[in-house]
Amino acid sequence: MAPRADQRELFQPAPVPVAPLDDASRLACLRLIRSNNVGPVTFRDLINHCGGAEEALAALPELAKRGGRSIFICSEDRAERELAAAEKAGMRPVFTIEPGYPRLLVEIYAPPPMLYLKGNEALLSKPSLAIVGSRASSAAGIALTRNFAATLGRSGFVIASGLARGIDAAAHTASLSTGTIAVVAGGIDVVYPPENKDLYDRISAEGCLLSEMPPGFEPRAKDFPRRNRLISGISYGVVVIEAAKRSGTLVTARMALEQDREVFAVPGHPLDPRAEGTNALLKNGATLATCPEDILEVLAPVISVPAGALEQHAVYRQPVVLLPPPLISDAHRKSVLTALGPHPATVDDLGRATSLPARELRVILMELDLAGRIERHGGSLVSLRPESVVRPGR
């Protein structure tokens, strides 16, 4: 869901200075990302607040202390070992402000500060379309997927999916010759599921693999929704072919809507449980797609936008003028902690409850985040972690 107009000033991603990264800056950025409690939002705010990764690393202990706790900071040795392991596995890191970072992904709320890439990175500069669906797919679903992926690929789209069994694997296989991107939930050097090893090797050689996780990272259940937001984030639209009523595929569709991407659904038989999710999407306003041409008709005007137009408006690409840090009192910090609770609240609501300027509120939330006292729930929603909730009478 798109933010209300009165919310945008508060949680519109603050711009990051545009500058080429040398080895020292790249190492500092990675150390910052791998330090405790530094998620995408806090990484962005730290860079914006401090003026660079090295400056942010130096400021971390004091900022976390203001939030109420100490913080673990990733060492140079640890970061260097990660980069060496990535290089050995044929993976290349690319940061948000560097050339090669997917330009559509820059526009989503809190894109990952760094991605690892392997394979034909040129595919990331072409228009992509996601095709996702059931792992326990039907023969008809596989045939439909191959037809959609091959036709859309020949029409100029790179096909993105999640390298899962079933629909994902069929979409990758059918689009290898025209271009496919596999977004994985673990490290790029970790093949999951293992039975897709041959397909993984082919994508490594002919397509492109993408992940926000470090080398050697084994995917967990909670990592797949994170992966799904990248699948939709790099794509102009998401095509859903077979999805049960409760499935990760529908998570991808929901994230696509939140990112203002087009969602297409291929209808299925009402008695097939694998069609419950797709048919429900259609009832709720997804675009009907019975053939690839239905998708091309909708997206043709979108992909005709000049290649640089989106990048010119990507907030992460804009230069920034660093302002002096705001003066924040302990009373202001206390007012934010009082306004927060276990139930998520928008940053806009916090601003109204505390009467604090947006910039000051951002810095306080950054301090609390570094101290591990708040949780971010996507969009502009934040809440206190359970152990930080103030009980009555205390």
Side-chain angles (χ1 to χ4, degrees):
M1 184 177 295
R4 301 195 310 267
D6 61 349
Q7 293 177 338
R8 289 177 186 145
E9 192 274 333
L10 282 173
F11 76 90
Q12 181 80 356
V16 171
V18 178
L21 291 180
D22 56 24
D23 290 343
S25 298
R26 187 172 290 107
L27 187 67
C29 282
L30 181 57
R31 288 183 63 200
L32 193 59
I33 293 165
R34 298 293 181 241
S35 296
N36 274 9
N37 303 324
V38 180
V41 174
T42 302
F43 176 88
R44 176 199 68 214
D45 288 344
L46 280 166
I47 296 291
N48 191 55
H49 179 68
C50 300
E54 292 170 281
E55 294 84 352
L57 283 169
L60 275 184
E62 180 61 27
L63 290 169
K65 183 180 178 182
R66 291 177 194 167
R69 293 177 188 164
S70 60
I71 186 173
F72 163 81
I73 299 175
C74 178
S75 67
E76 283 192 19
D77 179 65
R78 183 171 177 173
E80 286 171 347
R81 281 188 276 114
E82 178 178 325
L83 291 174
E87 184 177 6
K88 184 177 179 180
M91 301 157 53
R92 184 177 79 87
V94 58
F95 292 84
T96 316
I97 62 172
E98 290 189 297
Y101 193 97
R103 62 189 177 90
L104 278 186
L105 191 60
V106 171
E107 295 191 322
I108 73 170
Y109 178 78
M114 184 194 75
L115 298 171
Y116 279 113
L117 310 176
K118 183 179 181 180
N120 182 6
E121 298 176 21
L123 294 175
L124 293 168
S125 64
K126 299 179 180 180
S128 62
L129 183 69
I131 299 180
V132 294
S134 174
R135 288 172 292 176
S137 50
S138 68
I142 293 294
L144 273 170
T145 301
R146 288 174 175 164
N147 176 43
F148 272 70
T151 304
L152 293 166
R154 288 193 298 268
S155 300
F157 280 103
V158 172
I159 302 302
S161 198
L163 198 59
R165 305 175 186 93
I167 299 299
D168 287 22
H172 287 308
T173 302
S175 58
L176 271 167
S177 62
T178 54
T180 193
I181 299 169
V183 184
V184 298
I188 287 180
D189 55 340
V190 177
V191 181
Y192 186 88
E195 60 263 37
N196 279 349
K197 177 65 166 62
D198 289 344
L199 179 57
Y200 168 92
D201 289 339
R202 292 187 66 189
I203 296 174
S204 295
E206 304 173 48
C208 184
L209 291 153
L210 180 155
S211 176
E212 64 178 314
M213 296 303 186
F217 186 89
E218 296 281 349
R220 306 156 298 181
K222 66 180 182 180
D223 298 314
F224 290 91
R226 291 164 57 101
R227 182 273 316 263
N228 294 347
R229 91 189 192 287
L230 302 184
I231 294 174
S232 55
I234 65 173
S235 305
Y236 280 96
V238 173
V239 183
V240 180
I241 302 177
E242 294 192 338
K245 190 174 182 179
R246 299 179 185 276
S247 68
T249 300
L250 297 186
V251 173
T252 310
R254 175 176 59 79
M255 290 178 171
L257 289 172
E258 291 174 355
Q259 296 165 351
D260 291 326
R261 308 299 194 246
E262 192 74 32
V263 175
F264 302 89
V266 178
H269 196 285
L271 297 180
D272 189 341
R274 288 168 296 204
E276 283 189 87
T278 48
N279 292 344
L281 285 174
L282 290 168
K283 287 180 182 178
N284 290 316
T287 301
L288 175 70
T290 58
C291 61
E293 288 70 25
D294 292 336
I295 297 165
L296 293 171
E297 183 178 355
V298 172
L299 291 183
V302 178
I303 63 172
S304 66
V305 172
L310 286 171
E311 190 161 340
Q312 290 170 9
H313 292 90
V315 292
Y316 267 56
R317 305 283 185 179
Q318 301 300 323
V320 61
V321 177
L322 292 173
L323 300 174
L327 296 175
I328 300 172
S329 68
D330 288 340
H332 290 163
R333 294 185 180 92
K334 185 176 180 180
S335 71
V336 174
L337 281 169
T338 302
L340 283 164
H343 185 75
T346 67
V347 177
D348 181 62
D349 288 337
L350 290 174
R352 290 174 178 171
T354 60
S355 300
L356 291 172
R359 187 160 170 259
E360 190 168 327
L361 181 57
R362 271 202 199 100
V363 173
I364 294 173
L365 290 175
M366 179 179 68
E367 293 172 353
L368 293 174
D369 203 358
L370 289 171
R373 301 184 70 181
I374 64 171
E375 289 188 66
R376 296 189 187 266
H377 302 272
S380 67
L381 293 172
V382 293
S383 68
L384 276 182
R385 292 184 183 273
E387 63 272 18
S388 296
V389 176
V390 178
R391 308 297 177 188
R394 293 189 180 178

